[in-house]
Amino acid sequence: MREADQLMAPYYRMLARKIALAIVLVAFVPYALTFILFYSSYNESIRSQVISALTGVVEGHKRAIDDFLDERVANLKNASNLLFPGRLANPEEIRQTLASLREAYGAFVDLGFINGQGRHEAYAGPYGLEKADYSQSVWFKEVMAQGTYVSDVFHGYREVPHFVAAVKLGEGRRDYVLRATIDSARFSSLVEGVRLGLTGEAFIVNRQGLYQTQARRGGQLLGFSGLDLPQAFSGVRVLEGVQRQGREVVLAETWLKGGDWLLVCQQDMADAFSPLYSARKLAVLISLIAFLLLVFITAVLTRHMVGRIAVTDREKELLNEQIIQSGKLASLGELAAGVAHEINNPVAIMVEEAGWLLDLMQEESQLFAASGNRDEYLRALGQIETQGRRCKEITTKLLGFARRTDAPRQPTQINDVVAEVAGLVERPARYVNVLMTLDLQTDLPLVEASPSELQQVLMNLVNNAVDALEKTGGEVVVATRRLPEGQVEISVSDNGPGITESVLPRVFDPFFTTKPVGKGTGLGLSICYGIVDKLGGRIEVRSAPNQGATFLVRLPAASGQTSRAASAGAAPTSGEGGNEPGKRVVGR
Amino acid sequence: MNPVSVLLVDDEQGFLDAMSKRLGKRGLKVRMAPSGRQALAMLDQEPADVVVLDQKMPDLDGLATLTLIKERHPAVRVIMLTGHATVDSAISGIAMGAFDYLVKPCDLDTLLDQIYASLGRK
């Protein structure tokens, strides 16, 4: 991935970001929507459970308490109907009535029969209220006006909570009141016994906000509840998220006793919604882990993918460059062929004209014999012919090299190819202090190959060897020899720095190069490999650090070809030496 | 023995001049044609023993001229000559009946040898 890292240009970073974002969005948005949907419906169901539990408690207790109060008032009314008017003024009758009420209902503490002036006609009970005057009491006035009265709760005898119930009895202008103190423990215990979850409780407050029953948490009887008392309403009201005693609670409330008391059932939000909260916590945790995992996997995948894309792009770029390069080479080849032709014609004329002059000099040999410059004339004309021939050699080489088409295979003398390549490389090699040495075996068998392709192979190997010695200078040895198995071996050795072990297995890989960027395409050796492989041969490399490198090319010898045939058919390089310099191919 | 008659065909007048003089000096009867068409016309008028034919010429090139010569005058020997060396054109030239194929600039002695060789003379 190192190469990919180098390629992490802004373009690829942007690409990676876009891909990652797309993957995360596509994966996570449906998840998030599903999560929200399920969460909200779960939330709704938990909420309705909580509310219906609270509402159920409040409704049930409202009925029970109202019934309790109504019953006590009805008890009083029944008693008065039985006894009124004559027997009620009798203290003994009152005592007996109280006793029977206690026996029947238990809750009655005392009982008093009061006349229209607010004074007891008769009293039974523990408080000793026989002399009490109620004429100015609020409750007395109310019962006289309304007919019945039920008081708030107060601390009564022995700190037991009580309330007072009274009914007006009357006939004409003489009104009486039957009044009883009633122990409220009966309905208090009903309300105080309510338990919902860990914190759910119920209590009653009066219009002043004072507790009428004991609240389990911090609510003394008759203590101030701190509740914000609502306007009168009917039915049950539910409030969520109310701050009470430093906690957030959900509460259900309803008015009792005709709007005098408020029955409240409350539970901490944290408690009531604890299944929801824990489910939410778990879901958030799972989502978070899933999200992190997703992000991690996306990052890894994206990085890998973009790395691959970058590498592919780079390879494509290199391939494009290569195609452009071969296009350039092809046009260069055409150009070279054209130039060679155009140059050969004028050179031929020059050479012929020089020859003509020599002919003429021969004709007039007596004339020239007298001239002191005769030898100079001959030398100069000879030089023109020689240099003309050299021009031809150069153009022939150029043509031979420029031709990159898949030339047909023919029996080829490798020594000739080696000599030609060496001739081309020798001079530039000398500039960097590299000495080229050829060690060619005579009577080498021919190989069936395309000379231009063999040239290419050798050129690449020799150039690589020279490049390896560029800094230090050294020696490149190109040797050929015949192998016993009917093969020909060409070795190209240098005494340069060698190839490290890690690089060695990869030298024939396409696009692998150790040369600086822009210098090598990494294709040279892989092209060599391809050509040699196509010819049915093998190419291998032997090297160790500081011990130079040797490339070995083994090619099968052409069958039935002798070394004599080689010299007769040394087609591609026939311009080299020989006493028939103009001869190219004799194919008969 | 009659002198060998040679027809030089090339679009390079300078080459024709120098070459014809040199061959003429060596006892050959030399005529010159600056194009393939003219060469054919001259052959129709008076046949030659050997035609030395340039490969690359405007209008009718060497191979086309060779084809026509071989059609009309099968006995005429043809030696191809060119500044452009490709194995392919050499092979096709010889396949079409040329005696040999030389690359310019060629050694005069080589050309003479080939001319005589084509006629079976030494």
Side-chain angles (χ1 to χ4, degrees), chain A residues 471-494:
Chain A
K471 283 179 189 152
T472 56
E475 190 181 14
V476 174
V477 180
V478 184
T480 57
R481 68 188 179 111
R482 150 187 243 154
L483 295 180
E485 311 90 336
Q487 282 186 315
V488 178
E489 183 184 81
I490 313 157
S491 70
V492 180
S493 314
D494 66 70

Side-chain angles (χ1 to χ4, degrees), chain B residues 45-80:
Chain B
Q45 273 178 9
E46 187 188 338
D49 297 324
V50 178
V51 174
V52 177
L53 184 60
D54 188 32
Q55 170 65 41
K56 199 179 167 197
M57 290 184 294
D59 193 13
L60 214 56
D61 73 3
L63 287 179
T65 312
L66 172 66
T67 315
L68 292 171
I69 290 172
K70 281 289 160 188
E71 255 173 38
R72 299 192 203 177
H73 311 280
V76 173
R77 304 284 195 268
V78 178
I79 293 168
M80 303 292 287

Side-chain angles (χ1 to χ4, degrees), chain B residues 12-31:
Chain B
E12 291 276 350
Q13 193 59 46
F15 184 76
L16 288 180
D17 288 344
M19 190 55 94
S20 63
K21 284 179 205 160
R22 296 192 75 192
L23 291 175
K25 193 166 166 45
R26 281 160 181 73
L28 277 70
K29 187 185 160 199
V30 184
R31 286 182 296 163

Side-chain angles (χ1 to χ4, degrees), chain A residues 337 340-342 344-345 347-349 351-353 355-356 359-360 363 385 388-389 392 399 403 408 410 579-588, chain B residues 10 12 14-15 17-19 21-22 25-26 54 56 82-88 90-91 94 99-108 110 114:
Chain A
H341 178 75
E342 295 307 325
N344 276 353
N345 267 322
V347 167
I349 296 170
V351 170
E352 292 312 323
E353 291 289 4
W356 177 234
D359 289 351
L360 293 179
E363 200 176 277
E385 279 202 308
R389 215 162 282 137
K392 187 183 131 184
L399 280 168
R403 228 182 299 122
Q410 59 193 77
N579 53 6
E580 291 182 346
K583 182 150 181 168
R584 173 112 184 98
V585 170
V586 183
R588 303 206 314 162
Chain B
D10 200 320
E12 291 276 350
F15 184 76
D17 288 344
M19 190 55 94
K21 284 179 205 160
R22 296 192 75 192
K25 193 166 166 45
R26 281 160 181 73
D54 188 32
K56 199 179 167 197
T82 186
H84 187 61
T86 70
V87 183
D88 295 350
I91 289 171
I94 287 161
F99 177 75
D100 206 347
Y101 194 97
L102 302 183
V103 178
K104 282 187 199 173
C106 66
D107 192 73
L108 185 68
T110 312
Q114 290 299 320

Side-chain angles (χ1 to χ4, degrees), chain A residues 499-509 541:
Chain A
I499 303 167
T500 55
E501 210 171 319
S502 59
V503 169
L504 208 54
R506 301 181 59 193
V507 292
F508 295 112
D509 288 357
V541 56

